[in-house]
Amino acid sequence: MTTVGLMYLIASVCFILALKGLSSPKYARYGNFIGAFGMLVAVVTAYVHGVVHNGLWILIAIALGVVVGIPAARSVKMTAIPQMVALFNGVGGAAAALVALAEFFAVPDTTVMFRLATVLTVLIGSVSFSGSVVTFLKLQELMTTRPVLLPAGQQLAIAAAVSSVALCALTMAVPNGFLLWLLAVVGLALGVLFVLPVGGADVPIAISLLNAFTGLAVAASGYVLANTLLIVAGTLVGASGTILTRLMAQAMGRSLANILFGAFKATTVVAQGEEQRTVKSGTVEDVAILLGYANNVVVVPGYGLAVAQAQHAVRELVAQLEKRGVAVAYGIHPVAGRMPGHMNVLLAEADVPYEQLKELDDVNPGITSVDVAVVVGANDVVNPGARDEPASPIYGMPIFDVDRAKSVVFMKRSMRPGFAGVDNELLYNPKTTLLFGDAKDSLTKLLAAVKQL
């Protein structure tokens, strides 16, 4: 084995160990470090081994990436991590497509397999880039988070898909730079048309799927460049992204086809008479008494907790309740927040013991014996409509059945619906007490009130 092959093998093993580490909260930090080290080994090896021309430009690009990337990553709030992931994923897809385009023009005599790998890289990379940009805009709320249905949008998407396949076949038969550029443009359009109909809580699943696409593009570009490490890394990303997408779809209780294309068949449900409905709001003192004299409590955190940066406040309140002999657990939904593991990472930052984080199957069987279910900034993952209303856009998504607890405290800023844009019947349930306000401020006041009991 050559020195280069050995270094690439070391980098590949690092990537595999990184994925293994990231599968456990206990070793996730080490997994990140191992993955970063593997990438450093890969970049240095590729530069030392392959640089013949434009070495200065490569160093300038690396320097710019460091100068821009590190401050940008450090300044990103926890609530914006999903958007950052979407952008990084899109950049990876664009890089793979551009590399394949450049290599196509640099290699005058191409084989059939080279052309196949090139057209696949350009198409998949373009779709991943434009689709990831749209998911970023949705998560950043620079555009509506709801599904966007263009006039004849389904037909346009089908036409773009058919055109891309035809261009792939034509470029394979008659290698032509113009056709390859045209394929990239059609791929960009296909990515936009692919993601626009996806909305609400389905957007993170689209990000995961696009991440798998980027992995496939990188693996194909590895064949174009005859680089084994890119093939290995791209395959790992593609496989893990595919598995994650499948797990998230299962957590939503729906098929991937329904998540991606369900908006085309969805009907609009108009609620009537909601302006006459009333809710029961409470004071901090009321909720403090409810919590302080409970036997067991379940806290269900959501995106609102992350926005308010209230993870430390909720941990302190839970610690105070435990001093009073109250048994407390956190109910963590697989798609709570804006990305898988969002709540786990957020609470780990506040040193919440991992053993206190309970999944759906741990909480729901005993939910009727729970004295108080505290919903902090979550909405869709506790919406009974997902269980009881077949016409609801989120019908079939497994939820925490907090409406079956003895009482519910729902902490919200306002009566606005959640990320899916669906009204929540739980708000109007007679056993639900609403505590309006910023989550961090409300939890801090609750802590003070509980201490005075």
Side-chain angles (χ1 to χ4, degrees):
M1 178 180 290
T2 64
T3 303
V4 173
L6 177 62
M7 298 306 290
Y8 280 168
L9 177 60
I10 292 173
S12 299
V13 172
C14 285
F15 295 155
I16 295 171
L17 292 176
L19 282 177
K20 179 62 178 176
L22 291 172
S23 65
S24 166
K26 183 177 181 180
Y27 298 107
R29 183 183 296 271
Y30 300 109
N32 267 322
F33 285 135
I34 293 172
F37 175 75
M39 184 58 67
L40 177 63
V41 171
V43 171
V44 172
T45 302
Y47 182 84
V48 173
H49 169 67
V51 63
V52 178
H53 304 291
N54 302 318
L56 179 60
W57 286 108
I58 294 174
L59 291 176
I60 291 174
I62 292 174
L64 284 175
V66 172
V67 170
V68 174
I70 292 179
R74 289 183 177 276
S75 64
V76 171
K77 297 180 179 179
M78 178 63 70
T79 52
I81 291 294
Q83 293 94 299
M84 185 181 72
V85 170
L87 276 183
F88 282 176
N89 180 63
V91 169
L98 290 173
V99 166
L101 279 163
E103 194 67 11
F104 180 84
F105 288 106
V107 179
D109 185 20
T110 59
T111 64
V112 174
M113 288 303 297
F114 179 91
R115 295 176 206 166
L116 178 61
T118 300
V119 296
L120 289 178
T121 303
V122 171
L123 175 60
I124 299 173
S126 299
V127 169
S128 179
F129 172 69
S130 59
S132 296
V133 170
V134 175
T135 58
F136 166 79
L137 294 175
K138 284 178 176 282
L139 290 174
Q140 193 67 19
E141 297 186 8
L142 297 175
M143 64 178 292
T144 179
T145 59
R146 297 190 179 191
V148 177
L149 298 179
L150 300 176
Q154 190 172 17
Q155 290 74 19
L156 287 172
I158 293 173
V162 172
S163 299
S164 63
V165 173
L167 283 170
C168 285
L170 191 57
T171 307
M172 286 281 296
V174 185
N176 183 283
F178 172 76
L179 291 176
L180 200 59
W181 278 111
L182 185 58
L183 175 62
V185 173
V186 173
L188 291 173
L190 181 58
V192 173
L193 294 169
F194 178 71
V195 176
L196 279 180
V198 180
D202 296 335
V203 175
I205 299 178
I207 292 177
S208 179
L209 182 60
L210 290 168
N211 184 59
F213 285 177
T214 297
L216 294 176
V218 170
S221 69
Y223 185 89
V224 172
L225 297 174
N227 189 304
T228 306
L229 181 61
L230 281 179
I231 296 175
V232 172
T235 302
L236 287 173
V237 173
S240 59
T242 301
I243 293 171
L244 180 59
T245 301
R246 182 172 177 273
L247 291 175
M248 291 177 68
Q250 289 177 341
M252 294 289 287
R254 294 152 61 200
S255 68
L256 185 59
N258 180 266
I259 290 169
L260 297 176
F261 310 115
F264 290 117
K265 298 182 290 185
T267 57
T268 302
V269 179
V270 180
Q272 297 180 352
E274 288 186 359
E275 65 277 359
Q276 300 176 352
R277 305 178 73 181
T278 59
V279 298
K280 181 176 69 175
S281 61
T283 65
V284 169
E285 290 72 21
D286 296 332
V287 175
I289 292 173
L290 195 62
L291 293 174
Y293 293 100
N295 290 317
N296 54 75
V297 171
V298 170
V299 178
V300 182
Y303 185 67
L305 179 81
V307 171
Q309 290 291 290
Q311 60 269 31
H312 295 281
V314 74
R315 179 186 59 79
E316 291 173 6
L317 174 62
V318 168
Q320 185 62 34
L321 291 175
E322 289 175 334
K323 288 181 180 179
R324 297 179 59 87
V326 182
V328 186
Y330 297 84
I332 308 299
H333 195 281
V335 294
R338 298 286 175 86
M339 65 185 299
H342 202 167
M343 293 301 103
N344 300 68
V345 174
L346 197 71
L347 295 174
E349 184 182 317
D351 295 325
V352 173
Y354 187 70
E355 294 74 22
Q356 284 188 298
L357 307 186
K358 305 298 182 181
E359 298 181 355
L360 285 163
D361 294 339
D362 299 320
V363 174
N364 279 344
I367 194 70
T368 55
S369 63
V370 171
D371 293 317
V372 188
V374 183
V375 182
V376 188
N379 198 311
D380 300 325
V381 299
V382 296
N383 191 335
R387 184 190 64 220
D388 304 328
E389 298 293 336
S392 173
I394 60 173
Y395 180 71
M397 180 179 79
I399 61 165
F400 282 107
D401 298 324
V402 296
D403 58 318
R404 294 172 177 168
K406 295 177 182 178
S407 60
V408 180
V409 174
F410 208 135
M411 301 176 65
K412 285 179 65 69
R413 285 178 176 270
S414 67
M415 289 294 292
R416 289 182 58 188
F419 192 57
V422 182
D423 196 33
N424 193 342
E425 278 297 316
L426 183 62
L427 299 174
Y428 310 102
N429 192 311
K431 67 173 69 172
T432 299
T433 300
L434 288 171
L435 185 60
F436 291 107
D438 175 81
K440 185 176 182 179
D441 181 58
S442 296
L443 288 166
T444 301
K445 291 178 179 177
L446 268 178
L447 174 62
V450 170
K451 287 181 177 179
Q452 294 177 2
L453 292 179

